[in-house]
Amino acid sequence: MSGITIAMWCIMVGLAALFLCIAVYSSKSTKKNMASHYIADGGVSPFVATMSMGATLMSAFVLVGLSGFFYTHGVGSWVYVGWSNSAMFLLTIVFGYRIWILGRKNGYVTPLQFLSDRYQTRWAGIIAGIITVIFMVPYMALQLVGVGKLISVLTDGQISYYAVIVIVAFLGLILTQVGGMRTVARTDAIQGVFMFTIGLVICFIILGKEFDFSLAKLFARVEAVDPEVLSIPGPNGFYTWGRLFSITVAAFFMPLSQMQISSRYLTVRDKKSFRMMMVGTAIIPIIAIPAAMMIGLGAKAVFPALASGDDAFMSMLLAYIPLPLIICAVLAVFAASLSTLDSMVLSLGSVIGKDLLPGGMEEKKALKFSQAGMIVLLVITTVFSFNPPQLIVTLSLASYTATLQFVPAVIGAYFWKRATKQGAIASMIVGIVSYCILNYGPYKIAFGSFDQCLWGFLFGCITLVVVSLLTRPHPERFHELMGYVDKVYPYNEEGAALEAEAERAYHSRTPDTE
């Protein structure tokens, strides 16, 4: 066994021990009810909330997967990931703040509970929950695949790809079961700081050693090797303008469609926490994504014939980074993968417990069922990871392009009083069925160069409008919910009083079932 392998085992064991200690500490303040386990009783502090959101957004998808996508498909990756991720703060302002306000007032544990409440039917939350649970598995698998490939290559196979997958999945299981959101948020904060710091250090070392800290030299070298990497649609024709627009829309709406992101809004403690998290949502992608771009394009300039783009990250590390820092970089990816995995598993557990289980189930029993569901999903994800696609970013694309299909119903719930429960349900069904037929059916259908996810989204929007206009609206609940938001949103004395009252009700509502 090589020295690198021994070092990796020691550090992974040490990291696991640290996280287990955090889990045990967090469990002491976690009650045995859904709100405490899944959203930490809405009490996450500003810094922890911000870093937890950042670590959830910037997973192995960025350092390993996105650098590989830059290597394989070129600068179009910046357009759809860089712009859409940085612009997410707009949705945080428009939607995130509203769901936080309504969550405090009505005791939501998942954002999908708002859908059921607004449309006055549990089927709205159930259908969105089923779509979420099914199509989040590929994105969770991405986390395992990314770190599995990296550690296996670094140790020359002495720590096998499958062993890494099982280890990360097991740690994710422990962190989500013991202490719930308090554990996940605290470990995310540690992992986020570590990942962003190491990513920037690696990026500057590579840029300095090979390209004299000059982006102009980097781009010139890439152009000399393959000029199509620096243009649209890229060397493989992947980024047609239609597809680029489609997947940019899908990525932009992730704060509404991806539960591991939208559920974070329900965890924050106060307005200060929310504002800090909102700013972090805009800034963190600006830090992380350029690093992935420079690593991926740098690898294209130096190693133009790699077997897979996913090898770009490790190839650059081995060529330019000293061994101690390589180990730190791999651990940063390990941390990034684990932080996003446990965030996803926890959010899906809350969806199972609050949106999919029969209403009226006793709180403690529902919590046990949802925790069992998390275990099942982790096992499925682990098995799914054993045979991944060539480029792991395709796993994330499959996830958030599918969950985009219930976004029309979410937008209608917030802003269109004429939207009906029949329209919302029909919209989600038509959207996801259209997406699946166009994307996975025996005969794939393409309309121009647009991705199938956009057509499903458009069909869903049309269905929402048409069916809602043909059915009888019941806008009373819309006026109750949005009327409350309108009173609290412009912060004044009346809004402050209403918010304080809701805050008292929120903390007195959660049952203590220990």
Side-chain angles (χ1 to χ4, degrees):
M1 186 178 292
S2 68
I4 294 178
T5 303
I6 294 172
M8 285 303 304
W9 274 120
C10 291
I11 295 174
M12 283 195 295
V13 169
L15 196 63
L18 171 63
F19 289 165
L20 288 174
C21 290
I22 294 173
V24 172
Y25 173 77
S26 299
S27 67
K28 295 178 180 179
S29 53
T30 300
K31 304 170 190 145
K32 294 180 181 178
N33 61 64
M34 303 286 279
S36 188
H37 192 84
Y38 289 115
I39 59 172
D41 293 312
V44 178
S45 65
F47 176 77
V48 173
T50 302
M51 294 312 302
S52 181
M53 175 67 89
T56 299
L57 282 171
M58 302 290 108
S59 63
F61 163 81
V62 172
L63 290 177
V64 181
L66 188 57
S67 62
F69 234 54
F70 273 110
Y71 181 95
T72 304
H73 296 302
V75 294
S77 303
W78 170 262
V79 178
Y80 102 85
V81 179
W83 180 85
S84 59
N85 276 262
S86 294
M88 283 181 188
F89 83 98
L90 297 173
L91 293 185
T92 302
I93 296 171
V94 175
F95 294 97
Y97 193 57
R98 283 176 165 83
I99 192 60
W100 177 66
I101 288 172
L102 292 171
R104 304 301 275 195
K105 183 178 188 297
N106 299 307
Y108 301 145
V109 175
T110 80
L112 299 184
Q113 285 183 276
F114 164 73
L115 273 185
S116 298
D117 190 6
R118 158 64 178 89
Y119 290 116
Q120 294 293 281
T121 173
R122 290 196 74 239
W123 281 106
I126 288 172
I127 295 171
I130 291 172
I131 295 171
T132 296
V133 169
I134 292 174
F135 286 98
M136 287 286 278
V137 169
Y139 206 170
M140 292 194 296
L142 180 153
Q143 315 310 321
L144 300 178
V145 173
V147 71
K149 285 185 174 183
L150 210 57
I151 293 179
S152 177
V153 170
L154 177 64
T155 61
D156 198 24
Q158 293 183 25
I159 302 178
S160 74
Y161 168 79
Y162 301 104
V164 177
I165 285 177
V166 172
I167 290 169
V168 176
F170 180 74
L171 277 176
L173 172 66
I174 297 298
L175 296 183
T176 52
Q177 295 285 322
V178 181
M181 177 55 74
R182 286 179 173 84
T183 297
V184 170
R186 286 164 178 163
T187 54
D188 278 358
I190 295 172
Q191 294 168 118
V193 172
F194 184 57
M195 175 181 65
F196 298 139
T197 302
I198 293 297
L200 286 175
V201 170
I202 289 171
C203 176
F204 279 112
I205 290 176
I206 292 173
L207 189 66
K209 283 187 175 181
E210 183 65 30
F211 306 103
D212 299 326
F213 294 106
S214 171
L215 287 175
K217 287 187 178 181
L218 168 62
F219 290 131
R221 291 272 299 276
V222 173
E223 185 177 22
V225 171
D226 189 352
E228 291 186 354
V229 172
L230 301 179
S231 64
I232 303 295
N236 303 302
F238 180 82
Y239 286 119
T240 60
W241 286 108
R243 172 176 280 172
L244 192 59
F245 176 77
S246 305
I247 60 179
T248 299
V249 169
F252 175 70
F253 281 114
M254 282 177 66
L256 299 184
S257 66
Q258 295 280 287
M259 288 301 106
Q260 79 276 15
I261 298 174
S262 58
S263 62
R264 281 295 187 279
Y265 300 138
L266 298 173
T267 68
V268 296
R269 185 172 65 196
D270 48 32
K271 279 188 170 67
K272 179 182 178 182
S273 303
F274 195 92
R275 285 193 295 267
M276 188 170 177
M277 184 175 69
M278 179 184 67
V279 173
T281 302
I283 293 175
I284 287 172
I286 298 174
I287 297 173
I289 295 172
M293 179 187 71
M294 284 184 268
I295 292 170
L297 295 183
K300 192 67 177 181
V302 179
F303 306 106
L306 293 175
S308 170
D310 287 342
D311 297 332
F313 182 69
M314 182 53 75
S315 297
M316 294 299 280
L317 291 187
L318 293 174
Y320 297 101
I321 306 300
L323 182 58
L325 198 55
I326 290 178
I327 294 175
C328 290
V330 174
L331 287 175
V333 175
F334 184 93
S337 301
L338 183 58
S339 67
T340 303
L341 176 69
D342 57 32
S343 295
M344 289 180 167
V345 173
L346 200 67
S347 64
L348 291 184
S350 67
V351 168
I352 292 171
K354 281 295 184 180
D355 299 301
L356 299 185
L357 289 178
M361 182 178 289
E362 192 267 327
E363 182 85 5
K364 194 172 182 179
K365 187 176 181 181
L367 178 60
K368 288 183 177 180
F369 270 109
S370 64
Q371 288 177 307
M374 287 193 288
I375 297 173
V376 172
L377 286 172
L378 266 172
V379 171
I380 294 172
T381 301
T382 303
V383 174
F384 189 87
S385 304
F386 286 165
N387 188 27
Q390 185 176 12
L391 279 174
I392 64 173
V393 170
T394 57
L395 293 172
S396 67
L397 286 173
S399 175
Y400 61 76
T401 55
T403 56
L404 174 68
Q405 307 314 317
F406 64 76
V407 168
V410 177
I411 296 174
Y414 280 104
F415 292 110
W416 192 30
K417 66 180 180 181
R418 190 66 178 75
T420 66
K421 63 181 179 182
Q422 295 90 343
I425 291 171
S427 169
M428 289 187 279
I429 293 174
V430 168
I432 195 63
V433 169
S434 300
Y435 170 83
C436 290
I437 291 175
L438 296 176
N439 207 44
Y440 302 111
Y443 303 102
K444 293 185 178 181
I445 302 173
F447 299 96
S449 64
F450 292 99
D451 190 84
Q452 290 86 345
C453 73
L454 186 66
W455 294 107
F457 178 75
L458 291 176
F459 294 157
C461 290
I462 294 169
T463 302
L464 174 69
V465 173
V466 172
V467 175
S468 292
L469 291 176
L470 293 175
T471 52
R472 183 181 177 184
H474 296 279
E476 296 84 7
R477 189 56 177 159
F478 173 85
H479 289 303
E480 290 177 16
L481 294 170
M482 296 304 115
Y484 176 78
V485 171
D486 289 341
K487 290 178 182 177
V488 175
Y489 207 103
Y491 199 70
N492 51 36
E493 290 186 7
E494 181 187 10
L498 287 170
E499 189 175 12
E501 181 182 349
E503 192 74 13
R504 288 191 296 270
Y506 179 85
H507 289 292
S508 65
R509 185 186 298 115
T510 304
D512 187 347
T513 56
E514 287 191 294

